[in-house]
Amino acid sequence: MKQQFALVGNPNSGKTSTFNQLTGAKQTVGNWPGVTVERKSGKYKKDAQITIQDLPGIYSLSPYTPEEVISRNYLQEAVIDSVLNIVDGTNLERNLYLTLQLLEMGLPLVVAINMSDLLKKKGIQLNIDKLAYGLGVPVVKISALKQQGMDKMITAAKQSAKQPSEVLRYDSRLEAALAEIGLLLPPELSEEKRRWLAIKLFEKDLLITETLELTEAQQKEVAETIAIAEMIFKESSDAILVNERYGFIEGLLSLSVIREDDQRLSMSDKIDHLLTHRVLALPIFAFFMWLIYYLSIQTVGTMGTDWVNDVLFGTWIPDALDQVMNQLHVAQWLQELIQDGIVAGVGAVLGFLPQIFVLFFCLAILEDCGYMARIAFVMDRLFRKFGLSGKSFIPMLIATGCGVPGVMASRTIENQKDRRLTVMVTTFMPCSAKLPIIALISGAFFPGSTWVAPSAYFIGMGAIVLSGIALKKTALFAGDPAPFIMELPAYHLPQLTTVLKSACDRGIAFVKKAGTIIFVACIFIWFASSYDFTLTRVAEDQSILAFAGRLAAPIFAPLGWGTWRGTVATITGLIAKENVIGTFGILYGQTGDMSESGNEIWQLLRNDYTAVAAYSFLIFNLLCAPCFAAIGAIHREMGDSKWTWLAIGYQCGLAYCASFVVYQLGHVFFEGGHLTIATLLAVVVICVLIFALVKKPSQKAHGPIQVIGGNEW
């Protein structure tokens, strides 16, 4: 008989490791409809009749984050035979809070105490029989890392399938209020369902209130009942429930847990004294990030990327296709499409794959061993000052090597608004592909200046900081006030299978999503730069792309570089920023290979642009929309075309404003230009930007930080 079980648990509780142990390779990965939160489902490897759904890691069933909404909706609507609640045995108090909320829903439940092998080391004795008696549901000990207790957990789930859990009872005064509210609900509902809805109404859950569609009289009666309870308890209704749940947990743990009377610090606590130290935490973190960057972008990952680009897609595949197409007498235009469009496009995508795999392999190690939570803890205090999550620092650091893995690294940020904000601003950091543009402008127009290259990084960081401050004050990114809670799990050795699965899943997702976009875009750019409107093969300066460049050039005239060559170079830079140099070489008649700095065309560039205009060009190309591969990654992480276009529009808009201000004011102050209407508009733009920074926020983004299981920093 087919059965469906759902895995539910806190982040870092070992839920994903448990899922991997249960399903092995028999699992599928995708996104929940309309959101970027991953969904995983798989067949139990010892019984294909059992399907296991891995729900997102959550701390509660309150509707504050996409993960919480998804998990609660699934538990409400799906047909589930049993829920497997994975509980971190080393953080029982925190994890059991979610357990009580699952019990309140009346779901068939099995509580699996993970990391039970670590309890003895922490001086904790857990009586699971007393814990099961207090909760009224089966409780089993497991160890996902050591593959212990899995069969026992599944057996318990089969036995408890479709048997509603016992109803929890709280303070009699609260129970009286819940009973009053329950009388207003439809009588055909089960006792468990009516009680759970009453609890949600009592804690003023807006999603449930809207779903029930109570009459005005019923809403008034609910409000009066809540007001009476709040007056009795002298607490808000949601605080009453929180206190009751934790009070229940406290009594439960006093019944079932015995702690050895010693004051010795655990090994994790000793390590945290160093890794979360007020002074040493940042240097240690910087070293780890440098090491990951060095391995993935500069050494191991780069070796793989160089081989894919230079050997696989540079020699083997093109040579093999040439032989096959020559033998088949394929038309010349089709050969060029396949080689210059399709093969080049696929190669541009897969060239990033080795770097991405190594990067996410390293990040998965940090995440699985427990250090990733410490990174967020250390960086949050600094980053929240300008509206970003502490986890935003990791993608930005990685983006200095490549924007694609930088954007994809935002996956570590649970909060949807913080994740989207990070995705929007991460590519402002100058990546390695932008270095040739920096070298070209500094060499051609500022040969004796050493400040141009460093200024590019300061501009990128400034754009990130200022964007964080301004965007967090808008309704799109300013969420409801809520505490930022992070779990600091005990350190443990990472599990190789979990790390490899995480890296492979993200690598495959990159190829499917980002690869599709850049694949199509490369074919289009190849065609547009090779043919005119009569579909005749022509030189690039007579192509459709050149025509489009001349058409769009007036848009960039206020920026100082409104020529068709500069416009086309910027457009082709969307494929890969290095293309800017090659495009300039072709358009200025340089038929040989261009050096990275493009010194062959320095004088020709100086004939067309002033130094201020060139610096304006540099700023625009640093801040505008990134390459197609990075845009594909942005689309993947946003999970929505509207948000993708919003991100691209914001990046291009900010780039245009910054470039416009620099050229208009720089032209007046450094090149003796006259004051014009454009100059006044530049001053207005500055005033608008200042207003966006200092205006009163629509809402606070986060409440105070709470850290559980670790040291205060």
Side-chain angles (χ1 to χ4, degrees), residues 148 389 560 589 662:
Q148 297 174 350
S389 166
V662 166

Side-chain angles (χ1 to χ4, degrees), residues 510-533:
F510 161 72
V511 173
K512 286 181 178 179
K513 298 295 182 178
T516 304
I517 292 177
I518 192 174
F519 172 79
V520 175
C522 284
I523 295 177
F524 173 77
I525 294 295
W526 169 83
F527 176 80
S529 63
S530 302
Y531 291 86
D532 62 13
F533 288 102

Side-chain angles (χ1 to χ4, degrees), residues 124-369:
I124 300 174
Q125 296 181 32
L126 176 63
N127 189 320
I128 61 170
D129 292 331
K130 290 184 178 180
L131 186 62
Y133 173 78
L135 292 173
V137 295
V139 177
V140 297
K141 287 184 178 181
I142 67 169
S143 175
L145 191 62
K146 297 183 178 180
Q147 304 180 34
Q148 297 174 350
M150 300 295 167
D151 293 340
K152 190 175 182 181
M153 177 179 64
I154 294 298
T155 300
K158 290 179 179 178
Q159 294 173 350
S160 67
K162 294 187 178 179
Q163 295 180 11
S165 55
E166 294 185 11
V167 177
L168 291 177
R169 297 297 177 186
Y170 298 123
D171 185 285
S172 58
R173 297 168 296 177
L174 174 59
E175 290 297 333
L178 295 177
E180 287 290 333
I181 296 174
L183 293 175
L184 302 174
L185 300 174
E188 64 270 14
L189 295 175
S190 64
E191 180 186 356
E192 295 84 5
K193 183 72 170 179
R194 185 183 296 108
R195 175 179 168 75
W196 181 72
L197 291 175
I199 290 174
K200 293 291 108 182
L201 288 173
F202 185 82
E203 63 182 359
K204 302 174 183 177
D205 188 314
L206 294 179
L207 294 181
I208 294 298
T209 303
E210 293 172 357
T211 303
L212 289 175
E213 298 180 351
L214 299 177
T215 65
E216 187 175 342
Q218 289 174 323
Q219 292 180 18
K220 184 178 179 181
E221 192 168 345
V222 169
E224 290 176 352
T225 303
I226 293 174
I228 293 171
E230 290 177 334
M231 183 176 62
I232 294 173
F233 284 92
K234 298 181 180 179
E235 293 276 3
S236 63
S237 61
D238 56 344
I240 293 171
L241 274 168
V242 169
N243 292 336
E244 287 296 313
R245 288 167 182 153
Y246 275 116
F248 185 94
I249 292 171
E250 184 179 352
L252 186 64
L253 295 182
S254 65
L255 174 71
S256 57
V257 175
I258 300 175
R259 298 180 183 271
E260 294 179 6
D261 187 19
D262 65 68
Q263 300 299 320
R264 292 178 301 170
L265 292 174
S266 67
M267 182 58 68
S268 288
D269 291 333
K270 293 177 181 178
I271 296 174
D272 277 339
H273 270 301
L274 177 65
L275 297 185
T276 63
H277 190 273
R278 181 179 292 272
V279 176
L280 298 178
L282 288 177
I284 293 172
F285 171 55
F287 170 75
F288 280 123
M289 290 299 98
W290 171 84
L291 184 61
I292 290 176
Y293 172 82
Y294 181 75
L295 290 174
S296 60
I297 305 299
Q298 292 189 318
T299 53
V300 179
T302 300
M303 288 189 289
T305 293
D306 290 343
W307 183 85
V308 172
N309 287 334
D310 300 336
V311 180
L312 183 62
F313 284 94
T315 304
W316 290 0
I317 293 179
D319 290 350
L321 285 174
D322 274 340
Q323 294 180 5
V324 172
M325 289 189 292
N326 288 334
Q327 292 176 358
L328 297 176
H329 303 291
V330 176
Q332 183 64 28
W333 70 269
L334 185 56
Q335 290 189 34
E336 292 171 354
L337 170 62
I338 294 173
Q339 292 283 32
D340 299 335
I342 297 175
V343 174
V346 172
V349 175
L350 297 186
F352 291 112
L353 190 56
Q355 291 179 332
I356 288 175
F357 181 83
V358 175
L359 167 72
F360 281 116
F361 182 84
C362 295
L363 289 178
I365 290 176
L366 292 185
E367 186 173 0
D368 202 38
C369 74

Side-chain angles (χ1 to χ4, degrees), residues 26 64 112 128 217 274-275 283 344 407-408 474 519-520 569 600 649 699:
K26 302 176 182 179
Y64 295 125
I128 61 170
L274 177 65
L275 297 185
V407 169
M408 294 186 70
T474 65
F519 172 79
V520 175
E600 297 86 350
Q699 284 180 314

